[in-house]
Amino acid sequence: EDKVVQSPLSLVVHEGDTVTLNCSYEVTNFRSLLWYKQEKKAPTFLFMLTSSGIEKKSGRLSSILDKKELFSILNITATQTGDSAIYLCAARYGKLTFGQGTILTVHP
Amino acid sequence: DTGVSQDPRHKITKRGQNVTFRCDPISEHNRLYWYRQTLGQGPEFLTYFQNEAQLEKSRLLSDRFSAERPKGSFSTLEIQRTEQGDSAMYLCASSPEGTVNEKLFFGSGTQLSVL
């Protein structure tokens, strides 16, 4: 059965810290790995990764995929209170299979 | 592009009642997905459609759940004889399958409370 595991499940940091969120997956016929941010209701898209070793960046956020070891990481540098959210990782073949999420709390 | 729309936003019902939720995807998105999310968990897959065809349904989904997408546009999710364990956020998403931009776009969800 398809499985996605995220770690840590929760993380509390102070503004300015750098965080690394982990995601490992076992998905048959894997196609892509997606990261979403969920603050209140709808998850909002961050990154989609299909190739190993190619880092994607958007401002202070970056992500990379390792298809050999079946994992991905999401880095957030210089964290801000507005980064507080649940970060969801999902592996795709047809449907998305989500991990449990990492709850990030950034204190001032 | 008006985004994925879900209705209602909140639903409170008594155990044993039937409920129906509606999802309007982004226009021209041919895939539509339903997920369920409970507190502290990631979204759990329920089912998805390509146009009007239901391509996959979770084995965890009981026979009390049914979904339709009759004309390949909006979709409905019905839960019959609701139970307290059905209380959750029901999320709908759509995607333009077959393009390079195949990410899922999510609606704001319907929060179901079964008393």
Side-chain angles (χ1 to χ4, degrees):
Chain A
E1 186 169 327
D2 296 343
K3 187 167 65 173
V4 176
V5 177
Q6 294 186 242
S7 65
L9 294 182
S10 66
L11 194 53
V12 180
V13 300
H14 288 93
E15 273 192 322
D17 289 348
T18 293
V19 298
T20 298
L21 310 183
N22 304 296
C23 174
S24 64
Y25 63 91
E26 294 177 29
V27 171
T28 305
N29 297 319
F30 171 82
R31 188 164 172 176
S32 56
L33 191 291
L34 290 85
W35 285 94
Y36 283 83
K37 179 182 181 181
Q38 187 174 28
E39 293 179 86
K40 293 181 180 177
K41 300 289 187 180
T44 54
F45 173 79
L46 293 175
F47 297 111
M48 182 168 71
L49 303 151
T50 55
S51 301
S52 280
I54 298 176
E55 185 182 48
K56 292 217 171 179
K57 293 196 72 171
S58 177
R60 296 177 293 104
L61 279 67
S62 64
S63 183
I64 197 162
L65 174 68
D66 186 327
K67 291 170 74 173
K68 182 178 178 183
E69 300 297 329
L70 307 184
F71 78 88
S72 175
I73 61 172
L74 174 69
N75 282 316
I76 309 175
T77 60
T79 52
Q80 302 171 357
T81 55
D83 295 327
S84 296
I86 301 170
Y87 290 84
L88 296 165
C89 164
R92 180 125 195 247
Y93 171 67
K95 66 181 187 287
L96 286 182
T97 299
F98 282 89
Q100 320 94 297
T102 293
I103 301 172
L104 175 64
T105 303
V106 182
H107 288 310
Chain B
D1 182 351
T2 58
V4 178
S5 176
Q6 292 189 243
D7 184 71
R9 298 293 296 273
H10 303 275
K11 178 70 177 179
I12 300 173
T13 191
K14 292 183 179 180
R15 189 174 51 188
Q17 298 295 304
N18 299 343
V19 295
T20 300
F21 309 140
R22 177 180 170 122
C23 173
D24 287 90
I26 294 171
S27 58
E28 298 179 357
H29 277 194
N30 50 9
R31 283 215 177 167
L32 186 148
Y33 306 77
W34 286 100
Y35 284 83
R36 175 173 64 188
Q37 188 177 23
T38 53
L39 202 62
Q41 300 294 319
E44 174 190 23
F45 170 74
L46 296 179
T47 187
Y48 81 100
F49 296 83
Q50 175 134 339
N51 300 314
E52 65 274 12
Q54 189 172 21
L55 295 188
E56 188 175 347
K57 183 176 176 179
S58 170
R59 289 172 293 173
L60 302 175
L61 212 57
S62 78
D63 291 341
R64 297 184 297 105
F65 287 71
S66 62
E68 294 183 339
R69 194 183 183 197
K71 296 184 178 179
S73 56
F74 74 91
S75 175
T76 58
L77 176 69
E78 181 183 18
I79 309 174
Q80 296 181 327
R81 304 181 304 281
T82 52
E83 302 172 356
Q84 288 185 325
D86 297 331
S87 296
M89 173 73 76
Y90 289 83
L91 292 166
C92 176
S94 68
S95 71
E97 194 66 13
T99 72
V100 297
N101 192 25
E102 292 179 350
K103 61 180 181 279
L104 273 63
F105 295 81
F106 282 86
S108 296
T110 294
Q111 181 67 55
L112 173 66
S113 298
V114 182
L115 305 178

